[in-house]
Amino acid sequence: MDADTTMRFVFQLRQQGVTDKRVLEAMERVDRQDFLRGIFADRAYEDMPLPIPCGQTISQPSIVGLMTQALDVQARHKVLEVGTGSGYQAAILAHLSRRVYSVDRYRRLVADAQAVFDRLGLVNITTQTTDGSHGLPDQAPFDRIIVTAAAEDPPGPLLAQLREGGIMVLPVGQSDHVQHLIKVTKTTDGLDYTELRPVRFVPLVEGLGGE
Ligand code: SAH
């Protein structure tokens, strides 16, 4: 991103409510164009979701920013992302935390994203092709969990794998209906839910993808 593009990109994010300085800095350092192919790469800096392989989408930058901000990621944190997709969100998280585990149900998306992480030297991201609705029991607990596909309810295994004091951000609702971005905080007394805003994500689907 050249200086002009970066300025416009950050301005757009601020206008949509992304104001956290660390999140904005991380988003300045990760070039969204690196995560897009073909004709869509030209539209990398527009604030809209764009198609990626396997019929999936790279999320809208302002939504990535708002979710990252709500997640309140700290440098010592271990983060789980369900829904690697292009790898864009994981790359931003990698700049803010100690380690990111990112999983997707499509082998092809995981392989493509891993290749970009390798090229960018993002060595603190571990990827895996798996159904993320079961989480990653071997790596649990996580300080933060972000789900970038919509489930009807927060998956139980993910709630179980969240550390006490931890935060999970995810879209909930039926696909193609209104979904809401929610923030779940695990306290000593149980779970606190906050509704953030309406959103629209691809659905969280069980099992592995075909590609
Ligand atoms: N975070 C991505 C956007 C991902 S789109 C980015 O920054 O580009 C949502 C992704 O969730 C898709 O790639 C889809 O394959 C994946 N997904 C859907 N259901 C899943 C599941 N059960 N386990 C893992 N990944 C899943």
Side-chain angles (χ1 to χ4, degrees):
M1 273 192 286
D2 61 35
D4 242 35
T5 310
T6 305
M7 212 176 71
R8 276 198 300 271
F9 188 68
V10 169
F11 180 76
Q12 258 179 57
L13 292 171
R14 283 185 178 281
Q15 267 191 325
Q16 297 303 318
V18 185
T19 51
D20 186 293
K21 197 164 155 278
R22 290 176 62 243
V23 173
L24 288 170
E25 274 168 15
M27 292 186 76
E28 276 183 39
R29 292 172 68 184
V30 179
D31 191 338
R32 191 166 180 250
Q33 199 159 53
D34 287 334
F35 299 86
L36 289 161
R37 300 282 168 276
I39 50 167
F40 296 112
D42 294 339
R43 302 174 64 179
Y45 311 116
E46 294 176 27
D47 193 24
M48 51 169 59
L50 293 168
I52 58 172
C54 306
Q56 305 302 312
T57 52
I58 180 172
S59 309
Q60 190 175 341
S62 58
I63 298 293
V64 171
L66 290 170
M67 287 177 86
T68 308
Q69 189 166 281
L71 208 57
D72 188 25
V73 184
Q74 305 297 320
R76 64 178 189 288
H77 283 165
K78 182 165 82 173
V79 184
L80 170 65
E81 179 193 28
V82 176
T84 311
S86 67
Y88 179 59
Q89 171 77 73
I92 292 164
L93 293 169
H95 282 288
L96 294 165
S97 67
R98 178 168 61 85
R99 177 149 297 276
V100 179
Y101 291 88
S102 183
V103 304
D104 204 286
R105 56 191 291 275
Y106 285 104
R107 203 174 311 283
R108 173 172 174 200
L109 293 177
V110 170
D112 286 356
Q114 183 62 58
V116 181
F117 302 150
D118 290 346
R119 187 156 56 77
L120 298 178
L122 295 172
V123 294
N124 62 334
I125 305 175
T126 304
T127 57
Q128 199 176 310
T129 305
T130 185
D131 178 351
S133 54
H134 305 299
L136 280 182
D138 291 353
Q139 306 301 337
F142 297 97
D143 301 291
R144 297 291 186 262
I145 300 179
I146 182 169
V147 186
T148 64
E152 279 188 36
D153 295 299
L158 297 184
L159 293 171
Q161 290 170 31
L162 192 59
R163 190 190 296 282
E164 205 173 282
I167 296 174
M168 169 154 84
V169 173
L170 77 166
V172 292
Q174 287 172 353
S175 60
D176 293 336
H177 288 69
V178 180
Q179 302 162 358
H180 282 92
L181 196 61
I182 63 164
K183 173 175 170 172
V184 187
T185 309
K186 195 179 221 179
T187 69
T188 42
D189 300 333
L191 300 166
D192 272 356
Y193 292 85
T194 316
E195 202 172 289
L196 302 175
R197 54 164 287 158
V199 283
R200 193 158 178 185
F201 275 82
V202 296
L204 189 74
V205 179
E206 279 185 31
L208 289 187
E211 291 180 69

